Structure formats: structure tokens, C-alpha cells
Amino acid sequence: MKILYFGGQKSGKSSLAEKKALEISTNKPYYIATYDNSYDDKEMKKRVNRHKEQREKKFTTIEEAYDLTKVVKEKETFLVDCISMWIFNNLEKQEQELINQLEELEKIDCNIVFVLNEVTSGVIPFDKNSRKFVDLTGIIGQKLAKICDEVYEVKFGLESRLK
């Protein structure tokens, strides 16, 4: 089963995605953390630590910022938090490379719960990298919505099932 949770920052999507991953897992699920810690961003380190504390010992954490296909395996449950960071880490890659990676994940017989930040509802950004990030987020979001069995939009901690 493939499931997508998307919403704005601090909408509650990670908490709901964690709950869902635990519900559908028969074993201890894997938490794929996509944040690349090489940026030396103290604010993000605090967020990462908060997420680690939140999931405590319920998940086995795997840190993979670039190639999700390297860590996802058959018959297990994975929570990917978050696809937005994965997109950011892979901005230099071509759109099709990222889509190909998602298509490979789709073929694997496992549960994956994806988390994606909704950033496509604003204005078109002025700078090239921000535009590419927003565009890729929309394209990747569409692809995930297509391949996922369930899709949830999250606002203020409330989920609405779209698919």
C-alpha cells in the first residue's frame, strides 16, 4: 500500500503519517529521514531532533537524502519524511530521474507512507531554484497522488481523504 499525506508547514501531516505507518505495519516500520544534515542549519537540526523524539523507539531510522530506492525493500513498511527535502536535495537532477525513482518505488511490494509539503498554492517565485523546487513539488505531488492508494490533505491537524 502506498499512501500520501500532504499539507502546509506545521499542518500535522508528519504526526498523522506516523500514526498511519504504525497502523499498517506488521513489523517495526522504517522511518526514512531525507534531511541532509550537511547544511549546518541550527533551526533545522532542532526540527530534526524534535521529529526523532516524537517517533522515539517506534521506528527504525534510515537517513537517505538522495536515492530512496537504495533503502526500500519488499514486505516492510516505510515512512518517507519528507519528499520535499528529497526534492530539495535532488534539485540538480532532471525531473525524469526523480519520476523514475518514484516509479521504481511503486513496483516494490511494500507499504510506503509519503509526506509532502504543499508549496504550490502561492505565487511563482522570482529566483530560478525556488521556481524549480515549486514546479517539481507540483509534478512529484501529482505523480505520488497517481501511484498512491490513499491520498490525504492535512490542515490544522485534520486529515481529508481525497483518494
Side-chain angles (χ1 to χ4, degrees):
M1 175 170 267
K2 310 295 190 279
I3 301 168
L4 171 62
Y5 281 85
F6 75 95
Q9 278 185 236
K10 301 297 182 188
S11 62
K13 60 193 174 299
S14 290
S15 296
L16 291 167
E18 287 176 14
K19 182 179 173 188
K20 179 64 92 171
L22 290 166
E23 285 174 8
I24 64 173
S25 182
T26 54
N27 301 318
K28 186 176 182 181
Y30 292 90
Y31 188 108
I32 301 175
T34 60
Y35 180 66
D36 181 352
N37 282 318
S38 66
Y39 301 113
D40 195 34
D41 182 336
K42 289 176 179 51
E43 162 69 21
M44 281 302 292
K45 284 182 183 177
K46 285 181 185 176
R47 287 178 182 228
V48 167
N49 288 335
R50 197 166 39 249
H51 274 273
K52 283 181 181 178
E53 290 171 13
Q54 184 177 331
R55 65 182 179 258
E56 296 174 5
K57 296 177 175 110
K58 298 174 190 167
F59 291 85
T60 300
T61 300
I62 300 170
E63 293 185 12
E64 180 51 56
Y66 302 97
D67 187 353
L68 301 175
T69 63
K70 290 182 353 184
V71 295
V72 173
K73 51 191 170 189
E74 301 268 335
K75 308 293 184 200
E76 298 290 346
T77 298
F78 299 86
L79 170 60
V80 180
D81 198 357
C82 78
I83 289 294
S84 302
M85 279 295 159
W86 173 77
I87 292 168
F88 180 76
N89 297 334
N90 288 290
L91 270 182
E92 78 286 347
K93 292 187 179 169
Q94 296 297 313
E95 173 185 315
Q96 193 58 50
E97 289 179 73
L98 301 181
I99 290 172
N100 290 346
Q101 199 173 136
L102 295 178
E103 289 173 346
E104 287 302 310
L105 292 175
E106 179 184 17
K107 295 175 191 174
I108 299 172
D109 181 20
C110 66
N111 296 319
I112 306 176
V113 181
F114 299 97
V115 176
L116 176 70
N117 286 310
E118 170 57 274
V119 298
T120 62
S121 296
V123 297
I124 299 172
F126 286 115
D127 71 277
K128 180 181 176 182
N129 283 336
S130 296
R131 257 192 324 276
K132 183 173 182 180
F133 176 75
V134 171
D135 288 350
L136 278 173
T137 299
I139 292 162
I140 295 300
Q142 288 182 56
K143 183 64 176 179
L144 285 171
K146 183 177 180 182
I147 68 173
C148 285
D149 304 292
E150 298 176 10
V151 177
Y152 297 91
E153 181 177 20
V154 181
K155 292 183 180 184
F156 307 115
L158 303 171
E159 61 187 0
S160 296
R161 185 170 178 174
L162 304 180
K163 179 180 174 185

